[in-house]
Amino acid sequence: MITSGQLFAILSSAMIGTGILNISRTVAEVSRQDAWISTFLAGLAVTANTLIIYILASRFPSKTLAEYSQIIMGKWVGRLIVLIYIVYRIATAALVLRIMVELINTWFLPATPTRALIIPALLLLVYLARNGVSVQGRVNFFLFWLLLPLMLFTFPPVIQRPFFINLLPVGGTGFITIIKGMMPAIYSYLGFETLLMLFPYVQDKKNILKASISAGLLTTVVYTMVVTVQVAIYSYERLAALLYPLMRYISFIQMPFMERVEIFFIFFWVFAIFQTSGIQFFVTTLETGILLKKKDTKNISIFLTIPLYIIAMHPKNIGEIIELIGYIGYLGLVAALGLPVVLLVVAIIRGLKEEEYEKSSP
Amino acid sequence: MKRVALSLIVIIMIVFLPGCWDSRQVEEVAVLFGISIDKNLEIPGHITITLAGPTNQEDAEKPVRVISTSGKTVRNAMDNLQARKDRDVSLGHVLVVFIGRDVAEEGIEGKHLDGIMREPLVRGNAILATVDGRAQDLMESQTEDHPYIAIFLNSIIERAARRSLVPWYTLADYFQCLSIIGRDPMSPLIKLGPKGEVDPIVDNTAIYRGNKMVGELNQDETLILLMIKNNLRRGRISVPIGDKEDQYATILADRITRKVKTRVDGEDVFIHVHMKLTGEILELTAATPIADKESLEAADENVARFLEQKSYQVMNKLQKEFNSDPIGFGRYVNAYHNEFFQRINWREVYPNVHFTFEVDINLTRTGVLR
């Protein structure tokens, strides 16, 4: 069991992970100087969607998505839905891990083979996943509050050079472009849908709504801030050329006692990225356990590392990684935004709720 | 039994985990503090780079070593240097990149800077400076003040920028200006003293049009440029004062606010710049005391008119002579008249923009004399 405070930390870390590294570029490529508006609106949309997930999940307060999707849609369609989630999560966990390795390779260990970094990370993932939901909760809670102060690094450069002229004209790209820019922004917000699986594990059910909405709003604020300051400092034209804009941005900081702030930042941020992967991986083991009707999910995690490893090692170059993330993003839109709405609508039409279902099937 | 197995695992891990593909000992790294980039005089198309860094050898004669090497690109040249060095050349500590005037005037290309910008180890605030002459000569010149010429130059530039003698300009700024329409790059321009004798002079500005250097501004013009750009920090300028010749007030000026108003009328662009400054009098060669309310206000007026007049001169130079927009007025027109800006070619419109300047300065102190 986890507390609602831990749920807040889990949802926040699941959302803010790799997305923060390049959200400014991916959004600014579409909605240019209005990228911050797109990011903000996408955050609000995501937070609203968390509400839908909450309404859906509170119809079945002691069941996970993997269980009630089979109740709502029937056995086979329900299982297909669970399978979609499993594929999406494994791929996300794998690519997030791969991006983490790319970062480490670029900044710290250029000559170390990808394999040599992914395998230890996989061992750690299994170790974390085997220990169940309460350990996940505690680890995330601890890391979240440890890493949140790193966000302060996004302030100094923009205070030194407040060129907000690059954000003007506000709204100049037009309504449709801003809406289009929400798409890449939403990819960066993905992760909030883990609530679908974690809902029954939360002790204080009353505070779930508060915790998940505040996680959504916190992420919205952080992302909007990051995008705003980066477009202001760089201009959207320059952002298009930068692979990891956040790192370059942080490297502008000059401190008398610390020379390379961005290296300090990456060193700690690797934990945040690893956690994003860790949560998705853990939730997958839960889903797989339910799909295979196994009570004991401990050993499932060992087998799940095989597809994880294959997907993580598959991309040959950075271009392929970016392309694959795009595809996973589409799958994520279906899994995080589409399916909960469909499930909720069907559940309402069929009038399904936990108590009633239990009554009708002895 | 379990405990023994665990201890064994821990011992094995301790033996194998510290092994690292990327282990690099400090003694194996050749640290660089500065790079200069010039045209190669013998092979056309090639570039010559000069690298300066510490020798890291306790018994070395001089603490610093300056080496020149050449190649097709900056990376290629560095690899050619690597062949002659027993250490790994690392760009992680480069503070400043110097561009020779011949390269700057022909245009800075990918072969000069891309290899440096692409390297993740290069710090984001490494500065860019243009050298009036060959940058190699600057790197090879000796100074009495500091053993490392690159660190020495870096701190001169930093100090000069703090007094608004030169703009503070990083590599990242340069690339940003290149990628947008409506702001041109600039950089500090370093003049060489006679070789090996006198220290370099850092109080000029190189003005670029796109990636090509098109002209330079002297010390006073740089101050005015920075004032219009709203970057003025403790800048010093001598203003003729009183009715006699050869009488000056030296002013220390700081920015307060700057407002840029743009107006588009048909095809004509009007830009009004209103600058508010604060200042103090450092020196007054006129014999009359000035520290009463009326004469200080008169001095305010006098200095303000002088700065306005200088602004027109500098702007005229930038518009008509250089056709370069280092202040970034194009970004203002883009921001406030977006449709118009998308339609026009800023490079063609810019020389005909109608500028008006308005300076307000408030001289608050006169030192310890009246």
Side-chain angles (χ1 to χ4, degrees):
Chain A
M1 288 306 235
I2 53 174
T3 64
S4 57
Q6 288 169 346
L7 178 76
F8 169 73
I10 291 184
L11 291 180
S12 308
S13 338
M15 285 192 258
I16 310 175
T18 50
I20 201 168
L21 302 177
N22 54 15
I23 182 175
S24 53
R25 170 170 50 82
T26 54
V27 183
E29 270 174 358
V30 183
S31 56
R32 310 205 284 279
Q33 78 270 21
D34 291 328
W36 64 276
I37 305 178
S38 298
T39 313
F40 184 69
L41 292 180
L44 292 187
V46 161
T47 313
N49 205 68
T50 325
L51 194 69
I52 291 174
I53 291 178
Y54 174 80
I55 296 170
L56 172 65
S58 52
R59 288 179 91 89
F60 305 92
S62 71
K63 287 193 161 45
T64 62
L65 166 99
E67 287 156 339
Y68 59 70
S69 66
Q70 297 185 36
I71 296 171
I72 296 172
M73 303 299 280
K75 205 171 167 190
W76 290 105
V77 181
R79 281 183 183 176
L80 184 72
I81 289 176
V82 182
L83 200 65
I84 292 176
Y85 275 95
I86 291 176
V87 170
Y88 156 68
R89 286 193 210 284
I90 281 285
T92 309
L95 288 171
V96 167
L97 215 55
R98 178 63 186 265
I99 289 176
M100 182 185 89
V101 170
E102 288 295 322
L103 269 188
I104 297 175
N105 266 336
T106 311
W107 265 275
F108 297 125
L109 310 168
T112 308
T114 312
R115 215 180 289 116
L117 291 168
I118 287 204
I119 290 171
L122 283 181
L123 293 178
L124 254 181
L125 277 186
V126 172
Y127 180 63
L128 246 178
R130 280 172 71 93
N131 282 305
V133 70
S134 44
V135 169
Q136 282 288 340
R138 280 178 230 148
V139 168
N140 275 296
F141 191 74
F142 173 70
L143 281 179
F144 176 76
W145 293 109
L146 186 78
L147 296 175
L148 195 65
L150 286 181
M151 286 294 101
L152 292 177
F153 283 131
T154 53
F155 284 117
V158 81
I159 292 171
Q160 274 170 8
R161 306 187 287 178
F163 290 157
F164 288 102
I165 192 88
N166 286 335
L167 294 168
L168 297 175
V170 174
T173 52
F175 183 69
I176 301 201
T177 321
I178 292 175
I179 298 296
K180 273 187 194 158
M182 283 171 67
M183 281 297 145
I186 285 177
Y187 295 164
S188 302
Y189 281 104
L190 289 177
F192 61 93
E193 76 290 343
T194 42
L195 176 65
L196 287 166
M197 287 300 292
L198 295 172
F199 191 92
Y201 295 100
V202 184
Q203 265 169 358
D204 39 346
K205 297 258 184 314
K206 270 183 283 172
N207 294 332
I208 292 183
L209 185 65
K210 209 167 82 186
S212 41
I213 295 282
S214 18
L217 290 180
L218 175 87
T219 315
T220 309
V221 169
V222 168
Y223 275 175
T224 308
M225 199 177 76
V226 162
V227 171
T228 311
V229 296
Q230 286 184 35
V231 175
I233 287 270
Y234 282 122
S235 76
Y236 69 89
E237 292 98 328
R238 179 64 187 150
L239 270 176
L242 300 169
L243 200 52
Y244 302 105
L246 183 68
M247 301 308 166
R248 270 271 172 251
Y249 177 82
I250 290 175
S251 73
F252 291 149
I253 303 175
Q254 270 179 315
M255 283 201 198
F257 53 90
M258 188 163 38
E259 233 180 56
R260 305 302 298 273
V261 184
E262 85 273 22
I263 286 181
F264 176 82
F265 179 86
I266 300 168
F267 185 81
F268 283 99
W269 202 251
V270 163
F271 294 113
I273 300 176
F274 179 78
Q275 254 332 97
T276 307
S277 183
I279 296 161
Q280 295 286 8
F281 183 73
F282 169 70
V283 172
T284 322
T285 61
L286 290 182
E287 283 170 346
T288 320
I290 291 162
L291 195 66
L292 300 177
K293 295 197 176 123
K294 289 258 192 290
K295 268 267 150 66
D296 179 32
T297 55
K298 281 192 172 179
N299 292 326
I300 291 173
S301 58
I302 298 174
F303 294 105
L304 282 178
T305 53
I306 298 167
L308 194 70
Y309 178 78
I310 293 171
I311 299 172
M313 292 298 292
H314 174 73
K316 286 194 289 290
N317 53 40
I318 185 76
E320 236 175 70
I321 297 175
I322 292 172
E323 200 184 304
L324 260 179
I325 289 174
Y327 294 140
I328 300 304
Y330 285 121
L331 198 57
L333 285 183
V334 174
L337 297 177
L339 283 176
V341 176
V342 173
L343 285 173
L344 181 64
V345 169
V346 175
I348 291 174
I349 291 171
R350 292 184 58 191
L352 289 174
K353 264 192 176 169
E354 191 157 17
E355 308 85 24
E356 283 137 41
Y357 181 77
E358 235 114 75
K359 263 182 241 157
S360 64
S361 59
Chain B
M1 194 56 212
K2 209 176 170 187
R3 197 168 278 188
V4 176
L6 255 177
S7 333
L8 264 179
I9 291 174
V10 169
I11 290 169
I12 291 172
M13 278 167 90
I14 288 173
V15 173
F16 285 103
L17 282 184
C20 177
W21 272 268
D22 290 280
S23 65
R24 275 212 299 188
Q25 304 298 326
V26 181
E27 303 92 67
E28 290 170 7
V29 179
V31 172
L32 300 177
F33 292 135
I35 301 183
S36 76
I37 300 165
D38 286 300
K39 251 166 79 169
N40 189 321
L41 295 178
E42 280 126 41
I43 315 166
H46 274 218
I47 61 172
T48 298
I49 65 171
T50 309
L51 307 154
T55 39
N56 296 18
Q57 210 58 265
E58 270 179 33
D59 48 351
E61 238 175 73
K62 277 186 282 180
V64 64
R65 183 144 181 207
V66 179
I67 313 176
S68 290
T69 167
S70 66
K72 292 188 272 296
T73 63
V74 68
R75 271 282 162 187
N76 182 237
M78 279 180 63
D79 292 339
N80 293 341
L81 170 82
Q82 187 68 68
R84 295 192 273 140
K85 271 220 153 200
D86 63 338
R87 292 156 184 270
D88 292 328
V89 179
S90 159
L91 287 173
H93 294 266
V94 170
L95 296 165
V96 48
V97 176
F98 297 102
I99 304 285
R101 187 162 184 143
D102 44 2
V103 169
E105 280 177 348
E106 272 179 29
I108 302 174
E109 309 269 345
K111 66 179 175 183
H112 301 118
L113 288 181
D114 187 86
I116 298 172
M117 281 306 278
R118 204 172 280 277
E119 165 71 47
L121 284 179
V122 170
R123 49 177 82 206
N125 45 24
I127 56 180
L128 178 77
T130 315
V131 180
D132 190 26
R134 272 186 82 74
Q136 187 180 356
D137 294 341
L138 178 74
M139 295 286 270
E140 283 167 358
S141 67
Q142 297 290 320
T143 170
E144 308 267 299
D145 293 340
H146 201 290
Y148 304 123
I149 183 78
I151 295 184
F152 173 69
L153 285 167
N154 180 59
S155 51
I156 291 191
I157 295 172
E158 208 178 312
R159 212 153 294 273
R162 243 183 260 161
R163 303 176 143 231
S164 295
L165 291 171
V166 292
W168 178 257
Y169 209 74
T170 64
L171 276 175
D173 291 330
Y174 171 79
F175 277 95
Q176 195 198 340
C177 286
L178 275 195
S179 61
I180 58 180
I181 303 170
R183 190 188 300 140
D184 282 304
M186 59 182 180
S187 88
L189 180 68
I190 299 174
K191 303 249 177 191
L192 290 161
K195 200 175 179 182
E197 280 175 24
V198 188
D199 292 333
I201 303 149
V202 185
D203 62 358
N204 291 266
T205 304
I207 301 293
Y208 285 74
R209 186 195 302 139
N211 63 343
K212 287 190 180 68
M213 178 177 163
V214 286
E216 56 186 89
L217 296 181
N218 65 24
Q219 187 185 335
D220 281 359
E221 289 165 339
T222 301
L223 182 122
I224 298 295
L225 173 80
L226 292 173
M227 180 181 82
I228 303 175
K229 204 170 183 298
N230 200 23
N231 287 352
L232 186 66
R233 289 193 290 181
R234 301 188 74 72
R236 290 143 168 92
I237 190 165
S238 294
V239 181
I241 206 159
D243 21 337
K244 277 190 224 148
E245 295 252 319
D246 267 3
Q247 290 196 333
Y248 293 100
T250 305
I251 304 294
L252 177 96
D254 246 320
R255 71 187 171 91
I256 300 178
T257 56
R258 181 198 64 162
K259 287 204 176 77
V260 177
K261 282 204 183 112
T262 54
R263 186 163 62 86
V264 175
D265 191 357
E267 296 299 300
D268 286 337
V269 183
F270 298 87
I271 297 180
H272 178 77
V273 187
H274 184 191
M275 292 158 279
K276 269 195 181 150
L277 310 172
T278 174
E280 49 188 277
I281 294 175
L282 298 179
E283 185 184 38
L284 186 69
T285 57
T288 48
I290 199 167
D292 56 274
K293 194 164 168 280
E294 279 77 37
S295 41
L296 260 180
E297 273 166 9
D300 285 356
E301 194 65 15
N302 203 334
V303 173
R305 293 296 86 76
F306 176 79
L307 292 175
E308 277 169 15
Q309 181 204 336
K310 280 276 175 191
S311 301
Y312 284 108
Q313 285 170 10
V314 170
M315 209 58 229
N316 193 45
K317 210 168 178 179
L318 290 173
Q319 276 182 288
K320 305 273 155 52
E321 203 175 313
F322 302 152
N323 190 7
S324 161
D325 182 12
I327 298 162
F329 284 117
R331 296 303 285 176
Y332 284 89
V333 178
N334 175 47
Y336 297 110
H337 308 278
N338 192 256
E339 273 170 34
F340 172 77
F341 192 81
Q342 302 296 334
R343 185 158 50 82
I344 51 139
N345 180 350
W346 180 241
R347 193 69 76 199
E348 284 165 15
V349 172
Y350 176 69
N352 302 317
V353 173
H354 307 281
F355 280 99
T356 42
F357 295 100
E358 192 182 340
V359 178
D360 282 334
I361 185 163
N362 182 19
L363 298 168
T364 53
R365 274 190 291 267
T366 58
V368 294
L369 296 181
R370 287 196 72 223

